[in-house]
Amino acid sequence: MSNASCGRRTFVEQIAGLTRRHGQWTERLRSTLADIGLALAGRAGARMAQVLGVGVRRSTVLRLVDALPEPDPPAPRVVGVDEYATRKGRHYGTVLVDVETRRPVDLLPDREAASLAAWLAKRPGIEVVCRDRAPFFAEGATAGAPQPVQVADRWHLWHNLSEAAERSVSQHRRCLRVLVPAAPQAEAEPAPEAEASASPWTTSSRFADRTRARHATIHALLEAGHSRRSIQRQLGMTYRTVQRFADAARPEDLFTGQWQNRSSVLDDYKSYLDGRWREGCTNAWKLWEEIVPLGYQGSYARVRAYLHLKRTSPRPVAARPPSPRAVAGWILRRPETLSESEQLQLKTVSTNCPEIAALTRHVRSFATMLTELQGERLPDWLDAVRQDDLPRLHALATGLERDRDAVIAGLTLPWNSGVVEGHVNRIKMLKRQMFGRAGFELLRKCVLLS
């Protein structure tokens, strides 16, 4: 073989080696950019690539992510199901998570029962389905996988009980007045002045003016024959807000519970200050020195402002009873975490209101059942609830009865949907990074591959 032929072969081999190394480098760069795209999406990924010395457009980063192979995770044994919002209040999808490995296994573009049923039917190895109590998930799990055990999530059960407890306390809010000492009767005021001071907000208050205008608009639409859902869409309000305005006969009824009723560190000591005031002690500094040993950690100025209001107000100023939410919080918390004052107030309310006493007993019984996984006690708990005059708890009991098997499993088995809720929050972040530009397919790959 001639020297020229040998030289040509060596040169060709060198070119081939360079091409092969260049191809490997290109694939490695593509893989790196795809990993950056999975973590940061298009715009932020392009900025990170530029920091690393690679000039690339955000669309290129998204295309590299979109070109990744379709994820095919193994079928789980215990699957968690929950919804996520692609457009809150309008469009929702379904996320499915392997509860044992804590990894997402699939994303569905909707939350229809048929879609979940079809997905479960293709995976016969699933033994447990963790879900909340949404009817579409219950129907889909029953239709697609009748053999696996359905487990209702414990957090959602406790959340539903918390809402029912607060509404039950609200129905008996008059019983909370026992916590406030009776104030001396004030002198009768002329009727015009009483009418003028009936509202806690002045006419010039921006909040009052806005509330009155909204109240008038909503009631005008109701009188014109519009439904509350229609008013919600026209005014861009939530249904709960429209319902609150529609149920109020006067706009002044909506002013209570606003800024003037915010909780204060002085609230627990106002009853003591009121008692000392009636005894004739009106010195703010002396009263401040008396309540500091009792546990008050606020400033002297707050005590002085409260006594100044009592001194200058034309009407008697006294401590307000605790809000239904505060009392419900005492009932829902562990008894050992309550302060002595809270325990005493809850005991006083329970003594004077049999319904709140029964509510406290039922809530704490359910808490024991939930924390100690004693789901077999649920039927007895439901029967005990129905024997007391607590309509809000009756409604909760009716809902639990409809989903009885899943609720008992949720209160008995160690599985729950906590890991699914974490992935829902992660989807929110990924959705804000890229979903509006590349759609559901890119979001699914980022959730399953990152």
Side-chain angles (χ1 to χ4, degrees), residues 94-240:
T94 303
V95 57
L96 299 111
V97 179
D98 187 336
V99 177
E100 292 182 304
T101 63
R102 310 179 73 85
R103 292 286 301 171
V105 292
D106 210 345
L107 231 64
L108 305 180
D110 55 53
R111 59 176 182 182
E112 299 296 328
S115 301
L116 177 61
W119 189 92
L120 293 173
K122 296 177 182 178
R123 295 161 178 83
I126 295 176
E127 300 177 7
V128 179
V129 177
C130 301
R131 58 171 178 81
D132 57 23
R133 294 175 51 236
F136 38 83
F137 288 149
E139 295 171 6
T142 302
Q147 294 83 14
V149 178
Q150 297 185 35
V151 177
D153 183 53
R154 288 190 290 276
W155 184 89
H156 287 90
L157 293 175
W158 184 252
H159 180 67
N160 295 338
L161 180 65
S162 303
E163 292 179 334
E166 183 176 344
R167 291 171 184 155
S168 297
V169 176
S170 297
Q171 288 184 324
H172 300 277
R173 62 171 64 242
R174 293 191 178 186
C175 298
L176 307 183
R177 297 176 184 174
V178 70
L179 299 177
V180 180
Q185 294 293 330
E187 296 181 0
E189 298 181 1
E193 292 184 9
E195 183 69 22
S197 59
S199 172
W201 293 93
T202 60
T203 306
S204 60
S205 168
R206 287 185 299 171
F207 170 80
D209 295 341
R210 185 171 68 248
T211 300
R212 291 189 179 98
R214 287 181 176 178
H215 183 271
T217 302
I218 290 175
H219 279 262
L221 291 173
L222 288 172
E223 293 176 0
H226 294 270
S227 67
R228 297 185 180 187
R229 288 291 183 188
S230 173
I231 296 173
Q232 170 197 353
R233 291 190 293 268
Q234 292 182 50
L235 301 183
M237 298 179 178
T238 64
Y239 180 78
R240 189 173 181 178

Side-chain angles (χ1 to χ4, degrees), residues 161-360:
L161 180 65
S162 303
E163 292 179 334
E166 183 176 344
R167 291 171 184 155
S168 297
V169 176
S170 297
Q171 288 184 324
H172 300 277
R173 62 171 64 242
R174 293 191 178 186
C175 298
L176 307 183
R177 297 176 184 174
V178 70
L179 299 177
V180 180
Q185 294 293 330
E187 296 181 0
E189 298 181 1
E193 292 184 9
E195 183 69 22
S197 59
S199 172
W201 293 93
T202 60
T203 306
S204 60
S205 168
R206 287 185 299 171
F207 170 80
D209 295 341
R210 185 171 68 248
T211 300
R212 291 189 179 98
R214 287 181 176 178
H215 183 271
T217 302
I218 290 175
H219 279 262
L221 291 173
L222 288 172
E223 293 176 0
H226 294 270
S227 67
R228 297 185 180 187
R229 288 291 183 188
S230 173
I231 296 173
Q232 170 197 353
R233 291 190 293 268
Q234 292 182 50
L235 301 183
M237 298 179 178
T238 64
Y239 180 78
R240 189 173 181 178
T241 301
V242 174
Q243 189 176 34
R244 188 163 55 88
F245 274 84
D247 292 341
R250 304 177 305 136
E252 286 74 18
D253 296 339
L254 299 165
F255 295 161
T256 58
Q258 299 297 331
W259 300 305
Q260 72 273 21
N261 283 342
R262 281 186 176 176
S263 60
S264 165
V265 294
L266 189 62
D267 288 346
D268 294 338
Y269 307 93
K270 286 181 179 179
S271 299
Y272 177 85
L273 296 177
D274 294 340
R276 295 287 287 131
W277 179 275
R278 288 192 296 271
E279 292 173 1
C281 181
T282 60
N283 185 283
W285 184 267
K286 178 175 177 56
L287 291 176
W288 175 72
E289 289 181 331
E290 290 181 7
I291 63 176
V292 166
L294 300 179
Y296 175 67
Q297 298 181 351
S299 64
Y300 158 73
R302 194 179 294 271
V303 177
R304 182 183 61 185
Y306 179 66
L307 297 182
H308 177 73
L309 183 62
K310 292 175 70 69
R311 196 174 284 117
T312 58
S313 176
R315 293 187 173 190
V317 176
R320 292 189 180 91
S323 66
R325 174 169 292 186
V327 177
W330 301 342
I331 296 173
L332 293 163
R333 285 158 54 192
R334 293 178 180 270
E336 60 270 17
T337 64
L338 300 177
S339 64
E340 293 184 7
S341 173
E342 292 170 341
Q343 291 179 8
L344 179 61
Q345 293 182 82
L346 180 58
K347 183 177 180 180
T348 303
V349 173
S350 300
T351 302
N352 290 271
C353 183
E355 289 79 9
I356 292 183
L359 174 67
T360 304

